[in-house]
Amino acid sequence: MCIRDSIMAWPHRMFCSFLSHRLTLTIPRSTLPAAAAATCLALQLQTVHTQEPHTRELDGRSLTTADLYALSRGQQRIGLSSDAHERVLQGRGVVDNILSTNEVVYGINTGFGLFSNVVVDNAKLGELQENLIRSHCSGVGPLLSRERTRMLLALRINVLAKGHSGISMESLQRMIAAFNADCLPAVPSKGTVGASGDLAPLSHLALGLMGEGKMWDTDGSLQDAAVVLKRHGVTPVKLGAKEGLAMINGTQLIASLGSEAVERASTVALCADVACALSLEVLCGTVKAFHPLIHQVRPHDGQQLVASRVRQLLCPDSPSELFQHHGYKGKVQDAYSLRCTPQVHGIANDVLGFVRSLLNVELNSATDNPMVFTQEQVDASAPMGFKRQHSPTSATVLKDGEVKDLATAKDQIKQLKDALAEAMKPKLTGFKKESDLSYQSARGLIISGGNFHGEYPAKALDILAIGIHELAAISERRIERMCNPSLSGLPAFLVQDGGFNSGFMIAHCTAAALVSENKVLCHPSSVDSISTSGAKEDHVSMGGFSARKALEVVEHVETVIAIELLAACQGLEFHRPRRTTPALEAVYNLVRSEVKPWDKDRQMSPDIEAVSRMIRDGRLWQAVAPYLNPRP
C-alpha cells in the first residue's frame, strides 16, 4: 500500500479501538480529508445513544458542522464559555455607553433599511426592536423540523457569543434556557433572500423566544409560545436597544441547513463507494482500474481515497470467491460507471472537504450589522476610513518649570482636572471619524458593514449540490446495468419469473426520476439576485434556497444509493453459493437483517426506506469500516 493509502485509512484503524472502548471520537473535522471526517461522524452516531447528556460550551470560535448536526438531536445541553461570557458583557457595555450619550446610531435608536434616517425616542427603543421582529415575521412554507430549529437556535447563540452583536447577557441566557428546555419556536422555511441575513426565519425564531407566535412543545405539538415557555419555566426574552436586530441579522438559516447537508452528504459519499464495490462484484467486473499506479499519476486526494477504499473492499488480501470463479474472462474493460468511480466519486469527496471548511468558518463568524467592537479591539487595528489621533495628555497641559506659588499650583491643578474631564467625555479619542457608517464612544466602536450577506455559504451549498448529485447520477447507471439482462447476464430486473414478477423495474424508474429532479435542483440559486428594501439591499444571495435544495439533493442521493444497494444484494442472490469479500458480505448481512430477498413482487418502498435509514444513521458504513485497515 502507498503512503497516501495508509494516511487516508487511519480513521478505520481507530474504528476497532473505538468499538472496544465505546468512546466518543473527537477530532478537529477541518483537519481531516472530507471522507475521513464523515467516517468520524458515522462513528459518533454509533454511540450517541449510549452517552449521558452533557453540556457543550459555545464560544463563538470552535463550533463545527459535525458539532452543530449533533446538537440537532436534542441530547446535549449548551452553555457559554467563560471568555464568551466576558466578550458579551463588554460588547453590551459599548451599546449601553452610547445610549447614555443620546447620540444617534444606526440600529440602536434609528429605523432600519430605508428608514435608517428616522430617529426613535429612547423611551420607545424596546418597542422599536419588538416591532422589528413582528414586522419581519413574514416567512411562509413548511415549518422547519424540531431538529433543524435546534440547529438554528444553537448557531444563533454561538454567533452572539462572539460579542460583536451587542446582545445583553440576560437575553442570551434566556435563549440558552429555551434551548436546554427544548422550547423551539415555529419557523417557516421560506422567505429569506439571504441578505441582510436570514431575516424572516430568524425573526420567527426570535418571536417565539419573546413568548409570541407558536412554539414546539417537548411532545412535538405546536402550542402558543407563551404557554410552552411558562410550562417549562423559561422567561421570555425582553428586548432592549439593538437586541432585536442582533437576533435576526445573519446567515444562520443557510449555515445550519448547510451543516446538515454536508454531514449527511459525507456519510452517503462513503456508502456510495460501498455500493459501487458491491455492484462491481455482481456485474463480474475487475478491480484493475483501481490500481494505485493509475491514481498516483493523477493525484487528487478524493480520487486516491476512493480508489484505495474500493480496492480494499474488493481485494483485501485476495480476490473474492465470486471473482475467482469468473476471472473476468472474455472482457476487456468495464463501463465508465464502474471503472471511473474514483474520478467521479473522488471530486464529490473533495467538494465536501471544501464546503465543510468554508462552513466551519461561517459557523464562527460575526454576521451582524451594525457590529460592535470594544475599545481594546479598536486600538489593536487601524480600519479604513479613520485616522489615528493622539489623546490629550498631561504633557500638553502642564507647563515646564517649577511651581513657585500657591496660585500657580491651583491654576495648573485646574488645567489638569479640565484635561482629565475632557478625556473622559465620549468622543473620538482613538480615531477621527471620516465615515457616516460608524460611531465611536469612549467604550468602543459601532460600525456598519456587510457580513450578513450570504454569498459565501450560498455559493458553497450550490457547489455541494452539484458535487454530491453526481454520486446518484453514476449510481443510477449501475442500477440500470444490473437490471438489464443484456448488460448483466442476470435475470431481467433481478427477479425470477419475469413477466409474472416485475422485480426492480420501477425501483430503477424511481432512481431515474430522482436523478432527473436533481438536475433541476442543481441549478445554482446564488446566480440570481432581486433588489429589495427600496433598493437599499440591491444585491442578495438567495442562500436560503441554496441550502434547502442542497438538502433535497442529498436526500435524493441517499435514496438512489439505497436502491443500488438493494439491487446489488438481490443480484448477489443469483451468484450464490459463491461469496464475495468479508466486507461486502457484512453489507449483505446488514441489508438482509431488515430486507429479505426478492423472490416475488411486494411493496418496495419500505425496503428503500429501511436501507436509506441505514445510510443516514451510519450503520451501513460501520458494517464495513473494520475491514478497511491499511494493507501492505
Side-chain angles (χ1 to χ4, degrees):
M1 167 174 275
C2 68
I3 293 175
R4 180 180 294 274
D5 288 347
S6 178
I7 293 173
M8 292 301 186
W10 74 267
H12 315 310
R13 295 201 301 273
M14 300 182 71
F15 182 86
C16 296
S17 173
F18 168 83
L19 285 180
S20 62
H21 294 91
R22 302 189 68 79
L23 297 175
T24 301
L25 187 59
T26 303
I27 299 172
R29 298 289 297 278
S30 60
T31 67
L32 297 178
T39 302
C40 296
L41 168 65
L43 301 182
Q44 290 165 357
L45 285 172
Q46 182 193 30
T47 58
V48 70
H49 66 283
T50 68
Q51 299 172 15
E52 292 297 323
H54 66 279
T55 299
R56 177 179 295 279
E57 282 196 345
L58 299 180
D59 59 9
R61 294 174 174 174
S62 60
L63 191 70
T64 67
T65 56
D67 297 334
L68 187 59
Y69 190 37
L71 285 170
S72 72
R73 303 180 191 104
Q75 296 175 333
Q76 298 181 58
R77 296 170 61 84
I78 61 174
L80 284 184
S81 67
S82 57
D83 61 331
H85 189 279
E86 183 61 27
R87 290 197 304 269
V88 171
L89 291 176
Q90 290 176 354
R92 185 61 194 181
V94 176
V95 175
D96 290 340
N97 183 261
I98 288 174
L99 289 172
S100 68
T101 67
N102 293 320
E103 293 286 344
V104 176
V105 181
Y106 172 71
I108 295 180
N109 48 18
T110 71
F112 312 100
L114 192 63
F115 297 124
S116 59
N117 60 338
V118 177
V119 179
V120 178
D121 186 83
N122 281 0
K124 296 183 177 181
L125 294 185
E127 187 179 356
L128 168 70
Q129 301 297 317
E130 293 171 354
N131 285 346
L132 174 70
I133 299 300
R134 295 178 185 124
S135 68
H136 284 42
C137 285
S138 303
V140 296
L143 297 178
L144 294 180
S145 66
R146 294 171 68 198
E147 292 78 9
R148 290 172 181 172
T149 307
R150 286 191 194 102
M151 287 194 294
L152 181 63
L153 177 54
L155 182 53
R156 191 61 202 164
I157 291 169
N158 187 64
V159 170
L160 292 173
K162 294 189 72 66
H164 295 300
S165 301
I167 194 80
S168 69
M169 182 55 65
E170 181 181 23
S171 294
L172 189 55
Q173 292 290 7
R174 290 181 182 182
M175 294 174 70
I176 293 171
F179 180 94
N180 289 337
D182 212 28
C183 298
L184 305 169
V187 180
S189 57
K190 299 180 182 181
T192 176
V193 294
S196 155
D198 296 317
L199 294 174
L202 288 172
S203 293
H204 283 277
L205 185 76
L207 188 73
L209 297 172
M210 290 163 51
E212 301 181 23
K214 296 293 184 180
M215 180 173 275
W216 297 104
D217 204 344
T218 53
D219 62 359
S221 63
L222 275 175
Q223 307 287 338
D224 289 338
V227 172
V228 175
L229 292 173
K230 183 177 181 179
R231 181 178 297 137
H232 295 280
V234 178
T235 304
V237 173
K238 182 66 175 177
L239 298 178
K242 197 188 180 297
E243 292 194 293
L245 198 58
M247 294 181 73
I248 67 174
N249 233 321
T251 60
Q252 282 66 60
L253 178 78
I254 308 171
S256 60
L257 297 184
S259 295
E260 178 184 344
V262 77
E263 292 305 314
R264 288 173 61 179
S266 298
T267 303
V268 77
L270 296 165
C271 297
D273 295 346
V274 177
C276 170
L278 192 53
S279 297
L280 194 78
E281 275 282 79
V282 169
L283 292 168
C284 299
T286 179
V287 75
K288 290 182 178 179
F290 301 86
H291 196 289
L293 288 175
I294 295 173
H295 305 285
Q296 286 168 9
V297 296
R298 195 190 190 194
H300 293 294
D301 288 343
Q303 178 176 331
Q304 295 193 89
L305 177 62
V306 172
S308 171
R309 186 177 296 128
V310 175
R311 281 198 306 273
Q312 294 183 61
L313 289 169
L314 287 172
C315 194
D317 293 306
S318 60
S320 69
E321 180 185 349
L322 176 55
F323 181 86
Q324 292 180 49
H325 173 73
H326 66 75
Y328 203 61
K329 296 172 185 176
K331 294 185 179 182
V332 178
Q333 55 188 12
D334 291 323
Y336 288 2
S337 60
L338 297 172
R339 64 184 163 107
C340 294
T341 298
Q343 292 80 3
V344 177
H345 288 203
I347 182 59
N349 280 266
D350 288 339
V351 165
L352 286 170
F354 163 74
V355 174
R356 177 181 290 106
S357 177
L358 186 147
L359 287 178
N360 283 341
V361 173
E362 190 72 12
L363 298 187
N364 299 286
S365 295
T367 54
D368 207 340
N369 186 62
M371 297 182 68
V372 178
F373 296 93
T374 65
Q375 189 59 44
E376 182 180 2
Q377 293 164 337
V378 172
D379 290 340
S381 66
M384 292 176 60
F386 294 87
K387 293 180 180 178
R388 286 197 177 276
Q389 241 182 3
H390 293 293
S391 299
T393 65
S394 60
T396 63
V397 178
L398 296 178
K399 298 177 182 180
D400 294 333
E402 185 177 350
V403 177
K404 296 182 178 180
D405 56 63
L406 183 59
T408 302
K410 289 181 177 179
D411 182 60
Q412 292 192 355
I413 290 172
K414 181 179 182 302
Q415 291 182 52
L416 179 58
K417 287 182 176 180
D418 290 344
L420 290 173
E422 185 68 19
M424 292 299 294
K425 287 182 179 179
K427 65 177 185 177
L428 303 182
T429 58
F431 296 104
K432 181 180 178 183
K433 182 178 175 184
E434 291 184 347
S435 169
D436 61 359
L437 295 176
S438 65
Y439 176 80
Q440 185 167 359
S441 73
R443 295 283 295 274
L445 177 70
I446 304 283
I447 186 167
S448 291
N451 277 3
F452 50 73
H453 202 293
E455 199 71 16
Y456 263 102
K459 282 287 187 290
L461 295 173
D462 280 340
I463 294 169
L464 172 64
I466 294 169
I468 204 69
H469 154 72
E470 214 58 42
L471 299 179
I474 197 170
S475 173
E476 182 274 330
R477 290 293 80 205
R478 295 191 293 262
I479 297 169
E480 155 66 12
R481 297 193 77 80
M482 287 186 283
C483 289
N484 189 331
S486 65
L487 299 175
S488 68
L490 300 172
F493 301 110
L494 303 172
V495 70
Q496 299 286 13
D497 298 326
F500 179 72
N501 290 313
S502 296
F504 277 69
M505 180 187 296
I506 305 305
H508 171 244
C509 289
T510 298
L514 295 179
V515 168
S516 187
E517 284 190 28
N518 278 358
K519 294 172 186 175
V520 177
L521 291 170
C522 284
H523 177 80
S525 64
S526 63
V527 300
D528 185 29
S529 178
I530 297 177
S531 180
T532 61
S533 192
K536 193 85 168 182
E537 300 161 5
D538 59 349
H539 184 278
V540 298
S541 72
M542 296 299 177
F545 189 32
S546 296
R548 287 190 291 109
K549 68 185 184 63
L551 271 171
E552 191 169 357
V553 168
V554 170
E555 182 178 348
H556 290 171
V557 175
E558 291 168 342
T559 304
V560 173
I561 298 301
I563 294 172
E564 182 182 2
L565 287 162
L566 283 168
C569 288
Q570 179 66 15
L572 204 58
E573 304 292 348
F574 298 105
H575 290 290
R576 294 306 195 193
R578 299 177 184 86
R579 297 173 63 82
T580 181
T581 63
L584 296 180
E585 286 290 341
V587 173
Y588 171 85
N589 291 334
L590 175 65
V591 172
R592 287 289 174 255
S593 70
E594 294 192 27
V595 179
K596 64 182 182 180
W598 195 275
D599 53 359
K600 63 180 181 179
D601 281 348
R602 65 174 186 265
Q603 182 185 179
M604 188 170 281
S605 294
D607 296 348
I608 296 172
E609 178 54 33
V611 179
S612 296
R613 283 196 303 270
M614 292 177 185
I615 292 172
R616 284 194 299 270
D617 63 23
R619 281 181 292 154
L620 194 132
W621 177 246
Q622 292 166 27
V624 300
Y627 298 92
L628 296 178
N629 295 317
R631 304 291 172 177

